[in-house]
Amino acid sequence: KAGVTQTPRYLIKTRGQQVTLSCSPISGHRSVSWYQQTPGQGLQFLFEYFSETQRNKGNFPGRFSGRQFSNSRSEMNVSTLELGDSALYLCASSLQPGGGGNQPQHFGDGTRLSIL
Amino acid sequence: DQQVKQNSPSLSVQEGRISILNCDYTNSMFDYFLWYKKYPAEGPTFLISISSIKDKNEDGRFTVFLNKSAKHLSLHIVPSQPGDSAVYFCAASPYSGGGADGLTFGKGTHLIIQP
């Protein structure tokens, strides 16, 4: 069974640009969550999508947005990039929302975004 | 404020001995707890979880203990093997059936298994 696939693996952008990251969940998983990992803050929840609807959002500015398609694939967009947006962006999928219970979230290998 | 804390950034253990990784939480609404393992350049891999109605869950070499009154959980790895060297994240979810706020992660503990 294929795992969670994130593209691209690495990305370099400059301040002010915008970026779109892609995530293909495990087949059959309808929930996709996004996390930002930085050395200082660890893994922080960005938002979660289930059946094309955003269920909840973490404490990030409106520059961070996302969407989910009917095939459960998800994209995350960051506009007006800042130096502090440099991070590893991780996508996780699960059968049901939330990532807890008996249906834990399974993570992709992430997209390493560097802002120059 | 950090709702899930892993106070040891790193831990060094000899191969064959027991590794104990600790995690504390502050939010009483957390209902389910998970441990993830992460190698460099890879995403976190789910290891083991425990519901708040239990105090122990075991899976092979991995055992998670939950002390709800102390808001503390620990992961025991016995015996420790070189492949266990990785960063371990503790995570919590507010609902057993699926949370409304995603997973809240600790900052991780880097476990180093020495030969």
Side-chain angles (χ1 to χ4, degrees):
Chain A
K1 195 175 187 182
V4 178
T5 304
Q6 291 188 247
T7 56
R9 287 297 308 275
Y10 303 93
L11 205 48
I12 298 175
K13 291 284 187 179
T14 57
R15 281 183 299 172
Q17 287 187 309
Q18 68 99 28
V19 68
T20 299
L21 311 181
S22 180
C23 172
S24 293
I26 291 172
S27 178
H29 285 193
R30 295 165 59 197
S31 173
V32 173
S33 296
W34 289 89
Y35 294 85
Q36 182 195 64
Q37 185 184 13
T38 57
Q41 297 299 320
L43 273 148
Q44 292 189 290
F45 173 73
L46 278 157
F47 31 65
E48 178 180 29
Y49 286 86
F50 182 77
S51 294
E52 302 178 65
T53 302
Q54 186 180 91
R55 292 189 73 247
N56 47 80
K57 185 172 179 173
N59 190 23
F60 280 83
R63 300 185 297 107
F64 290 82
S65 63
R67 59 177 175 168
Q68 186 180 34
F69 302 95
S70 58
N71 62 358
S72 295
R73 190 177 71 85
S74 177
E75 287 182 346
M76 189 191 97
N77 186 76
V78 188
S79 62
T80 320
L81 286 164
E82 301 177 358
L83 291 176
D85 296 334
S86 293
L88 178 68
Y89 289 88
L90 290 160
C91 167
S93 75
S94 58
L95 281 167
Q96 293 295 328
N102 295 321
Q103 296 158 0
Q105 290 178 347
H106 297 271
F107 284 80
D109 288 337
T111 294
R112 172 74 62 185
L113 176 62
S114 299
I115 311 302
L116 303 179
Chain B
D1 66 331
Q2 243 186 302
Q3 297 187 65
V4 177
K5 298 179 184 179
Q6 295 177 256
N7 293 319
S8 299
S10 66
L11 175 67
S12 185
V13 174
Q14 219 167 4
E15 182 180 353
R17 306 293 287 267
I18 182 172
S19 295
I20 301 176
L21 295 97
N22 293 304
C23 177
D24 297 295
Y25 63 96
T26 57
N27 189 340
S28 300
M29 297 301 292
F30 287 144
D31 197 39
Y32 222 87
F33 304 90
L34 306 91
W35 285 94
Y36 283 84
K37 172 181 177 179
K38 187 180 186 298
Y39 293 119
E42 294 183 11
T45 302
F46 170 72
L47 265 179
I48 191 169
S49 63
I50 187 167
S51 163
S52 61
I53 62 173
K54 295 186 175 181
D55 55 19
K56 177 182 174 182
N57 189 26
E58 196 171 349
D59 184 1
R61 295 187 298 115
F62 302 92
T63 304
V64 56
F65 295 93
L66 176 62
N67 183 333
K68 203 173 174 183
S69 61
K71 293 190 176 68
H72 176 84
L73 63 153
S74 61
L75 174 68
H76 292 212
I77 306 174
V78 183
S80 299
Q81 298 174 353
D84 295 331
S85 294
V87 177
Y88 289 78
F89 290 96
C90 170
S93 173
Y95 303 103
S96 291
D101 298 315
L103 291 174
T104 302
F105 282 86
K107 292 192 177 182
T109 295
H110 186 193
L111 176 65
I112 301 163
I113 305 301
Q114 294 184 336

mmCIF file of all heavy atoms in Angstrom, chain A residues 20-57:
data_model
loop_
_atom_site.group_PDB
_atom_site.id
_atom_site.type_symbol
_atom_site.label_atom_id
_atom_site.label_comp_id
_atom_site.label_asym_id
_atom_site.label_seq_id
_atom_site.Cartn_x
_atom_site.Cartn_y
_atom_site.Cartn_z
ATOM 1 N N THR A 20 3.083 26.572 -3.540
ATOM 2 C CA THR A 20 2.040 25.564 -3.388
ATOM 3 C C THR A 20 2.689 24.202 -3.201
ATOM 4 O O THR A 20 3.540 23.804 -3.996
ATOM 5 C CB THR A 20 1.111 25.521 -4.615
ATOM 6 O OG1 THR A 20 0.477 26.798 -4.765
ATOM 7 C CG2 THR A 20 0.032 24.455 -4.430
ATOM 8 N N LEU A 21 2.299 23.518 -2.136
ATOM 9 C CA LEU A 21 2.809 22.190 -1.836
ATOM 10 C C LEU A 21 1.683 21.183 -2.026
ATOM 11 O O LEU A 21 0.517 21.487 -1.769
ATOM 12 C CB LEU A 21 3.316 22.122 -0.386
ATOM 13 C CG LEU A 21 4.253 23.230 0.063
ATOM 14 C CD1 LEU A 21 4.680 22.994 1.512
ATOM 15 C CD2 LEU A 21 5.452 23.350 -0.840
ATOM 16 N N SER A 22 2.053 19.975 -2.440
ATOM 17 C CA SER A 22 1.041 18.975 -2.756
ATOM 18 C C SER A 22 1.177 17.743 -1.878
ATOM 19 O O SER A 22 2.286 17.373 -1.475
ATOM 20 C CB SER A 22 1.165 18.582 -4.230
ATOM 21 O OG SER A 22 0.195 17.609 -4.567
ATOM 22 N N CYS A 23 0.046 17.101 -1.606
ATOM 23 C CA CYS A 23 0.027 15.907 -0.768
ATOM 24 C C CYS A 23 -1.002 14.920 -1.307
ATOM 25 O O CYS A 23 -2.179 15.270 -1.488
ATOM 26 C CB CYS A 23 -0.325 16.294 0.671
ATOM 27 S SG CYS A 23 -0.608 14.883 1.765
ATOM 28 N N SER A 24 -0.550 13.693 -1.544
ATOM 29 C CA SER A 24 -1.465 12.616 -1.931
ATOM 30 C C SER A 24 -1.568 11.653 -0.761
ATOM 31 O O SER A 24 -0.569 11.038 -0.371
ATOM 32 C CB SER A 24 -0.952 11.890 -3.172
ATOM 33 O OG SER A 24 -0.995 12.737 -4.296
ATOM 34 N N PRO A 25 -2.756 11.481 -0.199
ATOM 35 C CA PRO A 25 -2.897 10.630 0.994
ATOM 36 C C PRO A 25 -2.873 9.156 0.635
ATOM 37 O O PRO A 25 -2.911 8.788 -0.547
ATOM 38 C CB PRO A 25 -4.276 11.027 1.530
ATOM 39 C CG PRO A 25 -5.036 11.438 0.317
ATOM 40 C CD PRO A 25 -4.037 12.095 -0.587
ATOM 41 N N ILE A 26 -2.815 8.332 1.660
ATOM 42 C CA ILE A 26 -2.943 6.892 1.476
ATOM 43 C C ILE A 26 -4.321 6.613 0.881
ATOM 44 O O ILE A 26 -5.316 7.243 1.265
ATOM 45 C CB ILE A 26 -2.772 6.167 2.823
ATOM 46 C CG1 ILE A 26 -1.322 6.277 3.294
ATOM 47 C CG2 ILE A 26 -3.189 4.698 2.730
ATOM 48 C CD1 ILE A 26 -1.075 5.763 4.697
ATOM 49 N N SER A 27 -4.365 5.661 -0.058
ATOM 50 C CA SER A 27 -5.622 5.343 -0.725
ATOM 51 C C SER A 27 -6.707 4.989 0.297
ATOM 52 O O SER A 27 -6.488 4.165 1.198
ATOM 53 C CB SER A 27 -5.392 4.156 -1.675
ATOM 54 O OG SER A 27 -6.592 3.791 -2.305
ATOM 55 N N GLY A 28 -7.851 5.643 0.170
ATOM 56 C CA GLY A 28 -8.948 5.385 1.099
ATOM 57 C C GLY A 28 -9.005 6.354 2.261
ATOM 58 O O GLY A 28 -10.030 6.448 2.951
ATOM 59 N N HIS A 29 -7.920 7.060 2.519
ATOM 60 C CA HIS A 29 -7.914 8.051 3.598
ATOM 61 C C HIS A 29 -8.567 9.337 3.114
ATOM 62 O O HIS A 29 -8.201 9.868 2.076
ATOM 63 C CB HIS A 29 -6.482 8.344 4.054
ATOM 64 C CG HIS A 29 -5.893 7.262 4.876
ATOM 65 N ND1 HIS A 29 -4.722 7.422 5.596
ATOM 66 C CD2 HIS A 29 -6.304 5.995 5.126
ATOM 67 C CE1 HIS A 29 -4.439 6.306 6.238
ATOM 68 N NE2 HIS A 29 -5.384 5.427 5.961
ATOM 69 N N ARG A 30 -9.510 9.835 3.900
ATOM 70 C CA ARG A 30 -10.226 11.042 3.499
ATOM 71 C C ARG A 30 -9.819 12.275 4.296
ATOM 72 O O ARG A 30 -10.219 13.382 3.974
ATOM 73 C CB ARG A 30 -11.731 10.796 3.645
ATOM 74 C CG ARG A 30 -12.253 9.725 2.684
ATOM 75 C CD ARG A 30 -13.623 9.236 3.082
ATOM 76 N NE ARG A 30 -14.604 10.313 3.110
ATOM 77 C CZ ARG A 30 -15.782 10.228 3.718
ATOM 78 N NH1 ARG A 30 -16.112 9.139 4.366
ATOM 79 N NH2 ARG A 30 -16.629 11.241 3.674
ATOM 80 N N SER A 31 -9.040 12.049 5.346
ATOM 81 C CA SER A 31 -8.594 13.177 6.165
ATOM 82 C C SER A 31 -7.138 13.486 5.859
ATOM 83 O O SER A 31 -6.294 12.586 5.831
ATOM 84 C CB SER A 31 -8.756 12.834 7.647
ATOM 85 O OG SER A 31 -8.181 13.846 8.443
ATOM 86 N N VAL A 32 -6.853 14.752 5.628
ATOM 87 C CA VAL A 32 -5.474 15.207 5.395
ATOM 88 C C VAL A 32 -5.196 16.380 6.326
ATOM 89 O O VAL A 32 -5.964 17.339 6.366
ATOM 90 C CB VAL A 32 -5.262 15.636 3.929
ATOM 91 C CG1 VAL A 32 -3.877 16.260 3.765
ATOM 92 C CG2 VAL A 32 -5.421 14.443 2.994
ATOM 93 N N SER A 33 -4.091 16.269 7.049
ATOM 94 C CA SER A 33 -3.668 17.351 7.944
ATOM 95 C C SER A 33 -2.300 17.837 7.529
ATOM 96 O O SER A 33 -1.487 17.071 7.004
ATOM 97 C CB SER A 33 -3.613 16.867 9.399
ATOM 98 O OG SER A 33 -4.881 16.494 9.862
ATOM 99 N N TRP A 34 -2.042 19.100 7.788
ATOM 100 C CA TRP A 34 -0.751 19.710 7.491
ATOM 101 C C TRP A 34 -0.106 20.209 8.782
ATOM 102 O O TRP A 34 -0.791 20.762 9.656
ATOM 103 C CB TRP A 34 -0.919 20.876 6.527
ATOM 104 C CG TRP A 34 -1.282 20.470 5.124
ATOM 105 C CD1 TRP A 34 -2.533 20.290 4.620
ATOM 106 C CD2 TRP A 34 -0.379 20.225 4.043
ATOM 107 N NE1 TRP A 34 -2.461 19.926 3.296
ATOM 108 C CE2 TRP A 34 -1.155 19.892 2.905
ATOM 109 C CE3 TRP A 34 1.014 20.261 3.905
ATOM 110 C CZ2 TRP A 34 -0.592 19.591 1.663
ATOM 111 C CZ3 TRP A 34 1.573 19.963 2.671
ATOM 112 C CH2 TRP A 34 0.774 19.631 1.567
ATOM 113 N N TYR A 35 1.218 20.022 8.877
ATOM 114 C CA TYR A 35 1.978 20.462 10.031
ATOM 115 C C TYR A 35 3.230 21.185 9.550
ATOM 116 O O TYR A 35 3.778 20.870 8.495
ATOM 117 C CB TYR A 35 2.408 19.275 10.900
ATOM 118 C CG TYR A 35 1.273 18.545 11.571
ATOM 119 C CD1 TYR A 35 0.578 17.546 10.900
ATOM 120 C CD2 TYR A 35 0.901 18.847 12.877
ATOM 121 C CE1 TYR A 35 -0.460 16.864 11.504
ATOM 122 C CE2 TYR A 35 -0.133 18.170 13.497
ATOM 123 C CZ TYR A 35 -0.809 17.185 12.802
ATOM 124 O OH TYR A 35 -1.843 16.518 13.407
ATOM 125 N N GLN A 36 3.672 22.139 10.351
ATOM 126 C CA GLN A 36 4.942 22.818 10.109
ATOM 127 C C GLN A 36 5.932 22.374 11.179
ATOM 128 O O GLN A 36 5.606 22.403 12.369
ATOM 129 C CB GLN A 36 4.759 24.340 10.172
ATOM 130 C CG GLN A 36 6.014 25.137 9.896
ATOM 131 C CD GLN A 36 5.904 26.588 10.318
ATOM 132 O OE1 GLN A 36 5.756 26.897 11.506
ATOM 133 N NE2 GLN A 36 5.973 27.499 9.359
ATOM 134 N N GLN A 37 7.125 21.960 10.762
ATOM 135 C CA GLN A 37 8.151 21.598 11.733
ATOM 136 C C GLN A 37 9.333 22.537 11.616
ATOM 137 O O GLN A 37 9.943 22.664 10.546
ATOM 138 C CB GLN A 37 8.626 20.158 11.542
ATOM 139 C CG GLN A 37 9.604 19.731 12.630
ATOM 140 C CD GLN A 37 10.175 18.348 12.431
ATOM 141 O OE1 GLN A 37 10.055 17.757 11.369
ATOM 142 N NE2 GLN A 37 10.788 17.814 13.468
ATOM 143 N N THR A 38 9.672 23.197 12.715
ATOM 144 C CA THR A 38 10.855 24.050 12.790
ATOM 145 C C THR A 38 11.662 23.635 14.006
ATOM 146 O O THR A 38 11.112 23.067 14.957
ATOM 147 C CB THR A 38 10.477 25.541 12.919
ATOM 148 O OG1 THR A 38 9.645 25.701 14.084
ATOM 149 C CG2 THR A 38 9.729 26.023 11.688
ATOM 150 N N PRO A 39 12.973 23.910 14.013
ATOM 151 C CA PRO A 39 13.803 23.492 15.156
ATOM 152 C C PRO A 39 13.325 24.096 16.478
ATOM 153 O O PRO A 39 13.334 23.434 17.495
ATOM 154 C CB PRO A 39 15.187 24.006 14.776
ATOM 155 C CG PRO A 39 15.170 24.081 13.290
ATOM 156 C CD PRO A 39 13.768 24.471 12.923
ATOM 157 N N GLY A 40 12.852 25.327 16.446
ATOM 158 C CA GLY A 40 12.483 25.979 17.692
ATOM 159 C C GLY A 40 11.097 25.617 18.191
ATOM 160 O O GLY A 40 10.860 25.523 19.391
ATOM 161 N N GLN A 41 10.164 25.385 17.300
ATOM 162 C CA GLN A 41 8.764 25.186 17.679
ATOM 163 C C GLN A 41 8.295 23.746 17.568
ATOM 164 O O GLN A 41 7.195 23.414 17.989
ATOM 165 C CB GLN A 41 7.855 26.074 16.810
ATOM 166 C CG GLN A 41 8.091 27.555 16.981
ATOM 167 C CD GLN A 41 7.834 28.012 18.396
ATOM 168 O OE1 GLN A 41 6.888 27.569 19.051
ATOM 169 N NE2 GLN A 41 8.695 28.870 18.901
ATOM 170 N N GLY A 42 9.092 22.878 16.986
ATOM 171 C CA GLY A 42 8.643 21.497 16.830
ATOM 172 C C GLY A 42 7.563 21.394 15.766
ATOM 173 O O GLY A 42 7.484 22.205 14.848
ATOM 174 N N LEU A 43 6.707 20.399 15.919
ATOM 175 C CA LEU A 43 5.628 20.154 14.961
ATOM 176 C C LEU A 43 4.386 20.931 15.375
ATOM 177 O O LEU A 43 3.836 20.729 16.450
ATOM 178 C CB LEU A 43 5.264 18.666 14.941
ATOM 179 C CG LEU A 43 6.058 17.788 13.998
ATOM 180 C CD1 LEU A 43 6.200 16.392 14.561
ATOM 181 C CD2 LEU A 43 5.349 17.725 12.649
ATOM 182 N N GLN A 44 3.925 21.817 14.492
ATOM 183 C CA GLN A 44 2.742 22.612 14.812
ATOM 184 C C GLN A 44 1.657 22.393 13.775
ATOM 185 O O GLN A 44 1.932 22.425 12.571
ATOM 186 C CB GLN A 44 3.118 24.090 14.879
ATOM 187 C CG GLN A 44 4.017 24.425 16.062
ATOM 188 C CD GLN A 44 4.189 25.915 16.225
ATOM 189 O OE1 GLN A 44 4.840 26.567 15.431
ATOM 190 N NE2 GLN A 44 3.574 26.469 17.255
ATOM 191 N N PHE A 45 0.451 22.211 14.264
ATOM 192 C CA PHE A 45 -0.703 21.930 13.426
ATOM 193 C C PHE A 45 -1.105 23.160 12.631
ATOM 194 O O PHE A 45 -1.288 24.243 13.183
ATOM 195 C CB PHE A 45 -1.851 21.465 14.322
ATOM 196 C CG PHE A 45 -3.170 21.293 13.629
ATOM 197 C CD1 PHE A 45 -3.381 20.230 12.772
ATOM 198 C CD2 PHE A 45 -4.199 22.192 13.849
ATOM 199 C CE1 PHE A 45 -4.600 20.066 12.135
ATOM 200 C CE2 PHE A 45 -5.426 22.034 13.227
ATOM 201 C CZ PHE A 45 -5.628 20.973 12.361
ATOM 202 N N LEU A 46 -1.239 22.963 11.308
ATOM 203 C CA LEU A 46 -1.670 24.053 10.425
ATOM 204 C C LEU A 46 -3.160 23.999 10.178
ATOM 205 O O LEU A 46 -3.900 24.912 10.500
ATOM 206 C CB LEU A 46 -0.929 23.966 9.092
ATOM 207 C CG LEU A 46 0.475 24.560 9.067
ATOM 208 C CD1 LEU A 46 1.293 23.953 7.945
ATOM 209 C CD2 LEU A 46 0.400 26.074 8.896
ATOM 210 N N PHE A 47 -3.635 22.930 9.539
ATOM 211 C CA PHE A 47 -5.062 22.743 9.298
ATOM 212 C C PHE A 47 -5.336 21.306 8.882
ATOM 213 O O PHE A 47 -4.421 20.553 8.563
ATOM 214 C CB PHE A 47 -5.637 23.714 8.240
ATOM 215 C CG PHE A 47 -4.686 24.141 7.161
ATOM 216 C CD1 PHE A 47 -4.173 23.242 6.252
ATOM 217 C CD2 PHE A 47 -4.296 25.478 7.064
ATOM 218 C CE1 PHE A 47 -3.301 23.637 5.260
ATOM 219 C CE2 PHE A 47 -3.416 25.886 6.073
ATOM 220 C CZ PHE A 47 -2.916 24.960 5.173
ATOM 221 N N GLU A 48 -6.631 20.977 8.903
ATOM 222 C CA GLU A 48 -7.068 19.638 8.541
ATOM 223 C C GLU A 48 -8.236 19.732 7.587
ATOM 224 O O GLU A 48 -9.125 20.567 7.751
ATOM 225 C CB GLU A 48 -7.485 18.853 9.781
ATOM 226 C CG GLU A 48 -7.999 17.451 9.448
ATOM 227 C CD GLU A 48 -8.422 16.675 10.676
ATOM 228 O OE1 GLU A 48 -8.846 17.296 11.654
ATOM 229 O OE2 GLU A 48 -8.319 15.436 10.629
ATOM 230 N N TYR A 49 -8.219 18.841 6.591
ATOM 231 C CA TYR A 49 -9.319 18.749 5.632
ATOM 232 C C TYR A 49 -9.921 17.356 5.679
ATOM 233 O O TYR A 49 -9.209 16.360 5.830
ATOM 234 C CB TYR A 49 -8.825 19.065 4.216
ATOM 235 C CG TYR A 49 -8.554 20.528 4.014
ATOM 236 C CD1 TYR A 49 -7.324 21.072 4.349
ATOM 237 C CD2 TYR A 49 -9.542 21.382 3.528
ATOM 238 C CE1 TYR A 49 -7.076 22.427 4.201
ATOM 239 C CE2 TYR A 49 -9.303 22.736 3.374
ATOM 240 C CZ TYR A 49 -8.072 23.250 3.712
ATOM 241 O OH TYR A 49 -7.827 24.590 3.571
ATOM 242 N N PHE A 50 -11.223 17.311 5.566
ATOM 243 C CA PHE A 50 -11.939 16.046 5.506
ATOM 244 C C PHE A 50 -13.088 16.220 4.523
ATOM 245 O O PHE A 50 -13.898 17.138 4.676
ATOM 246 C CB PHE A 50 -12.454 15.642 6.886
ATOM 247 C CG PHE A 50 -13.167 14.312 6.905
ATOM 248 C CD1 PHE A 50 -12.440 13.142 6.869
ATOM 249 C CD2 PHE A 50 -14.545 14.252 6.974
ATOM 250 C CE1 PHE A 50 -13.080 11.902 6.896
ATOM 251 C CE2 PHE A 50 -15.194 13.030 6.996
ATOM 252 C CZ PHE A 50 -14.461 11.847 6.951
ATOM 253 N N SER A 51 -13.143 15.347 3.541
ATOM 254 C CA SER A 51 -14.189 15.437 2.513
ATOM 255 C C SER A 51 -14.291 16.843 1.932
ATOM 256 O O SER A 51 -15.382 17.417 1.844
ATOM 257 C CB SER A 51 -15.539 15.011 3.096
ATOM 258 O OG SER A 51 -15.511 13.650 3.440
ATOM 259 N N GLU A 52 -13.138 17.382 1.566
ATOM 260 C CA GLU A 52 -13.013 18.673 0.863
ATOM 261 C C GLU A 52 -13.357 19.879 1.730
ATOM 262 O O GLU A 52 -13.425 21.007 1.222
ATOM 263 C CB GLU A 52 -13.885 18.690 -0.409
ATOM 264 C CG GLU A 52 -13.540 17.579 -1.396
ATOM 265 C CD GLU A 52 -14.436 17.587 -2.619
ATOM 266 O OE1 GLU A 52 -14.384 18.561 -3.386
ATOM 267 O OE2 GLU A 52 -15.202 16.605 -2.796
ATOM 268 N N THR A 53 -13.568 19.676 3.018
ATOM 269 C CA THR A 53 -13.926 20.781 3.913
ATOM 270 C C THR A 53 -12.844 20.961 4.976
ATOM 271 O O THR A 53 -12.364 19.983 5.545
ATOM 272 C CB THR A 53 -15.272 20.485 4.605
ATOM 273 O OG1 THR A 53 -16.271 20.299 3.612
ATOM 274 C CG2 THR A 53 -15.665 21.633 5.524
ATOM 275 N N GLN A 54 -12.489 22.211 5.224
ATOM 276 C CA GLN A 54 -11.533 22.469 6.298
ATOM 277 C C GLN A 54 -12.253 22.320 7.630
ATOM 278 O O GLN A 54 -13.212 23.042 7.913
ATOM 279 C CB GLN A 54 -10.941 23.876 6.175
ATOM 280 C CG GLN A 54 -9.834 24.137 7.199
ATOM 281 C CD GLN A 54 -9.246 25.533 7.084
ATOM 282 O OE1 GLN A 54 -9.702 26.473 7.728
ATOM 283 N NE2 GLN A 54 -8.229 25.670 6.249
ATOM 284 N N ARG A 55 -11.772 21.412 8.467
ATOM 285 C CA ARG A 55 -12.438 21.141 9.738
ATOM 286 C C ARG A 55 -11.947 22.077 10.833
ATOM 287 O O ARG A 55 -12.702 22.474 11.699
ATOM 288 C CB ARG A 55 -12.207 19.703 10.165
ATOM 289 C CG ARG A 55 -12.876 18.685 9.284
ATOM 290 C CD ARG A 55 -12.774 17.313 9.902
ATOM 291 N NE ARG A 55 -13.651 17.137 11.045
ATOM 292 C CZ ARG A 55 -13.229 16.970 12.285
ATOM 293 N NH1 ARG A 55 -11.943 16.999 12.571
ATOM 294 N NH2 ARG A 55 -14.091 16.785 13.270
ATOM 295 N N ASN A 56 -10.683 22.351 10.807
ATOM 296 C CA ASN A 56 -10.143 23.247 11.832
ATOM 297 C C ASN A 56 -8.790 23.770 11.383
ATOM 298 O O ASN A 56 -8.191 23.259 10.429
ATOM 299 C CB ASN A 56 -10.040 22.535 13.180
ATOM 300 C CG ASN A 56 -9.401 21.171 13.064
ATOM 301 O OD1 ASN A 56 -8.206 21.055 12.990
ATOM 302 N ND2 ASN A 56 -10.202 20.139 13.028
ATOM 303 N N LYS A 57 -8.335 24.793 12.058
ATOM 304 C CA LYS A 57 -7.105 25.461 11.664
ATOM 305 C C LYS A 57 -6.301 25.813 12.907
ATOM 306 O O LYS A 57 -6.857 26.208 13.933
ATOM 307 C CB LYS A 57 -7.428 26.722 10.862
ATOM 308 C CG LYS A 57 -6.211 27.425 10.310
ATOM 309 C CD LYS A 57 -6.573 28.554 9.360
ATOM 310 C CE LYS A 57 -5.290 29.229 8.869
ATOM 311 N NZ LYS A 57 -5.517 30.217 7.844
#
